[in-house]
Amino acid sequence: CACASPQGKLTDSPGCREVRKLLVQWLDADEEPTPHEAAFQPKAPRLRQNWSHEENEQLFAIVAEHGPRTVEWARVARRMPGRTAKQCYLHYTQQMAKAARDPEQVGRRRNWSNEENDALLNIVAEYGDRPVDWNEVADRMPERSGKQCRIHYCNHLAPGLVVGDW
């Protein structure tokens, strides 16, 4: 491509800027780019930002259009400015899927209740000596992810956990 240097990096010539501009317009048409065109797709900024309520609603609506099991995350990301496909996938599967009934609760942190602690201890006890599948545990814990269950159990509830001064 005339816009790429021998090292494969994009140059910043006026013609290349025009090509990028046209490519962005074309990508916004919600069509699949060819592999060559996809190589020139602008990247989302690397800044870490919390998800806004509006972004949560937009992501939820986009996923609902396609169905959560058949989503093409690259297409979703094209409709979510400033978000990558991986960010959309992780946010939906780790934050939104459990709270799909109440999008207002997405991203809100709350303390573990005594009932949740007891339920988590009972579920983990069922595994006995087998390794714990934290995603299976999370399926039985409403509004909690596998990662949340594992971290809470290991840091607060595990038998033999030594708490106190060193």
Side-chain angles (χ1 to χ4, degrees), residues 111-124:
N111 293 330
W112 285 71
S113 68
N114 290 334
E115 292 80 19
E116 285 180 308
N117 287 339
D118 293 341
L120 182 59
L121 284 169
N122 291 333
I123 294 168
V124 172

Side-chain angles (χ1 to χ4, degrees), residues 20-159:
R20 274 193 224 114
K21 187 173 162 184
L22 292 171
L23 182 59
V24 169
Q25 290 171 352
W26 181 78
L27 287 174
D28 286 341
D30 201 27
E31 297 176 18
E32 284 296 319
T34 65
H36 179 73
E37 291 161 337
F40 293 100
Q41 183 176 359
K43 299 280 187 211
R46 296 254 180 212
L47 298 175
R48 182 178 176 159
Q49 295 178 335
N50 291 332
W51 286 73
S52 69
H53 179 68
E54 292 77 23
E55 284 180 308
N56 285 337
E57 287 180 346
Q58 183 180 4
L59 180 60
F60 188 74
I62 293 169
V63 173
E65 286 175 19
H66 300 284
R69 299 212 184 262
T70 60
V71 173
E72 292 182 32
W73 294 102
R75 277 187 184 204
V76 172
R78 272 189 246 121
R79 293 174 60 187
M80 300 286 301
R83 298 294 181 181
T84 64
K86 184 175 181 179
Q87 286 173 326
C88 294
Y89 167 76
L90 290 175
H91 185 69
Y92 185 82
T93 57
Q94 294 178 357
Q95 298 288 328
M96 297 186 74
K98 288 273 184 175
R101 294 177 300 277
D102 188 5
E104 290 284 330
Q105 296 299 317
V106 174
R108 291 197 178 163
R109 295 181 182 183
R110 62 180 178 80
N111 293 330
W112 285 71
S113 68
N114 290 334
E115 292 80 19
E116 285 180 308
N117 287 339
D118 293 341
L120 182 59
L121 284 169
N122 291 333
I123 294 168
V124 172
E126 292 174 11
Y127 280 86
D129 293 336
R130 295 180 296 138
V132 177
D133 182 342
W134 293 105
N135 289 325
E136 283 183 14
V137 171
D139 288 342
R140 296 171 59 186
M141 298 290 298
E143 299 180 16
R144 296 293 184 179
S145 69
K147 184 176 179 180
Q148 287 174 320
C149 293
R150 178 180 53 83
I151 289 173
H152 186 69
Y153 180 81
C154 293
N155 292 344
H156 300 283
L157 302 175

